Amino acid sequence: MDAPKLRAVRFGVMLPSYLRPSRETVLGVAQAAERLGFDSVWTNSHTVVPASFKPRYPYGDDGMPSWNAKTAWADAMITLGFVAAATERVRLGVAVVPLITTDPITLAKQSATVDLLSKGRFELGVGAGWLLEEGEALGHPTDHRQTRLEETIDVLRLAWTKPTFSYEGRFVKIPEVGVHPQPPQGAALPLWIGGQGDAAVRIAAEHNAGLFIWLQTPERVAEYGRKLRALRPGAPLAACIWTSQDKREWDEQVRGMEQAKVDLLVIGRRYDDQQVSEISRFAATFLSQVR
């Protein structure tokens, strides 16, 4: 008996820009994802990891991640520019850039450049940032992060659409400037807000962005989706999932996220020499089921 068809969910793949980045691993996964019919490939972003920091990691019970100051994190935007030159169809996204590691103008410039080099395939995820010590190490402000995020969204869209602009926010203040080249997608460049709380939901809803959820159960993702779409019906919802490399419980996750009404589902975790074979197996099982 054939498996029931999935609703029209976009499926993406996390690139191995984290843990084991190399020319061979990144290209291998990106080109396989394009060949297999995945919608998109994604990076995530940290610039510097302090040797010690307070346990506030939002995706683990003890507040600490599995990675540390010695873990490899290739630059997310440079990686996507590299992948843009080696692919033609697959969309390119970052989920997410912590705002405390950058500034609005630099982020606007990088995003426009990747979008230009990929002929309009880029999607930007941005979050307020939880690793405060990372922002402090870079000399960036870490206070009032949600307000700064909202002001950054305003600046991004001005930079992507106006010949010149100025901005006078509570925290972000920019004299009359131009940021060129602008992205081919212009104001339509997809913007995702990463976060695990009501503030992220509100910002996504109020600023015409999608909400990108990391490492949550389908039930929790569905709850976030209901809150988001109560504020803005039809708002895009994305989730990143992974499963045990031994158990490979993809079916339960995928079906659950479909029921949670996600629009984009990004699979990750398999950052080893079997990642290409794993996404091949996933594609054979699920991509043919999308109706």
Side-chain angles (χ1 to χ4, degrees):
M1 182 177 179
D2 293 338
K5 292 289 187 180
L6 294 166
R7 61 186 285 272
V9 177
R10 298 167 54 201
F11 285 103
V13 175
M14 290 302 300
L15 291 169
S17 55
Y18 153 67
L19 283 182
R20 56 187 297 266
S22 71
R23 175 184 175 87
E24 291 74 22
T25 59
V26 170
L27 284 184
V29 173
Q31 292 174 333
E34 179 158 89
R35 182 179 70 254
L36 292 166
F38 282 92
D39 167 82
S40 48
V41 294
W42 295 77
T43 59
N44 51 12
S45 179
H46 282 287
T47 300
V48 60
V49 178
S52 63
F53 49 87
K54 292 182 179 179
R56 64 175 79 84
Y57 182 65
Y59 314 115
D61 293 337
D62 63 356
M64 296 300 290
S66 59
W67 40 267
N68 56 43
K70 297 180 181 179
T71 302
W73 291 84
D75 184 271
M77 293 295 202
I78 293 175
T79 298
L80 292 177
F82 172 65
V83 170
T87 56
E88 295 294 334
R89 176 197 57 80
V90 72
R91 293 188 66 78
L92 313 172
V94 54
V96 298
V97 177
L99 184 59
I100 57 175
T101 67
T102 186
D103 64 84
I105 294 295
T106 298
L107 189 57
K109 169 71 80 172
Q110 292 173 329
S111 300
T113 301
V114 175
D115 200 51
L116 178 72
L117 296 178
S118 66
K119 294 186 177 180
R121 292 185 280 145
F122 180 63
E123 305 192 15
L124 173 64
V126 63
W130 64 269
L131 185 51
L132 304 189
E133 293 86 350
E134 180 178 22
E136 292 164 358
L138 294 166
H140 294 169
T142 60
D143 62 316
H144 300 92
R145 298 191 307 284
Q146 282 75 32
T147 302
R148 291 180 187 276
L149 176 57
E150 293 184 83
E151 293 183 357
T152 294
I153 294 169
D154 292 339
V155 171
L156 289 172
R157 289 178 169 148
L158 288 169
W160 293 341
T161 59
K162 301 294 184 181
T164 64
F165 70 95
S166 61
Y167 188 81
E168 187 70 20
R170 180 181 172 191
F171 298 105
V172 178
K173 302 180 187 298
I174 300 170
E176 191 77 15
V177 297
V179 182
H180 296 270
Q182 292 177 324
Q185 294 182 95
L189 193 156
L191 189 62
W192 296 93
I193 304 303
Q196 305 291 91
D198 289 341
V201 174
R202 178 189 61 78
I203 292 170
E206 293 180 358
H207 291 270
N208 196 31
L211 181 67
F212 201 113
I213 303 295
W214 273 83
L215 298 182
Q216 296 293 314
T217 65
E219 292 75 20
R220 286 288 289 151
V221 171
E223 181 181 345
Y224 279 115
R226 286 191 293 270
K227 290 180 179 180
L228 175 69
R229 288 161 177 163
L231 296 173
R232 182 162 61 90
L237 179 66
C240 183
I241 62 169
W242 41 65
T243 186
S244 165
Q245 294 183 1
D246 300 319
K247 295 181 181 179
R248 295 180 171 181
E249 296 170 337
W250 289 121
D251 191 76
E252 180 181 344
Q253 292 257 43
V254 171
R255 295 293 171 184
M257 290 299 180
E258 180 200 21
Q259 293 172 7
K261 298 182 179 180
V262 301
D263 302 290
L264 168 66
L265 189 58
V266 180
I267 65 170
R269 187 37 95 48
R270 188 99 215 185
Y271 301 118
D272 60 15
D273 58 5
Q274 297 182 50
Q275 188 176 7
V276 170
S277 62
E278 183 70 6
I279 67 172
S280 298
R281 192 184 72 84
F282 185 98
T285 304
F286 296 106
L287 295 195
S288 62
Q289 299 177 25
V290 177
R291 61 173 180 255

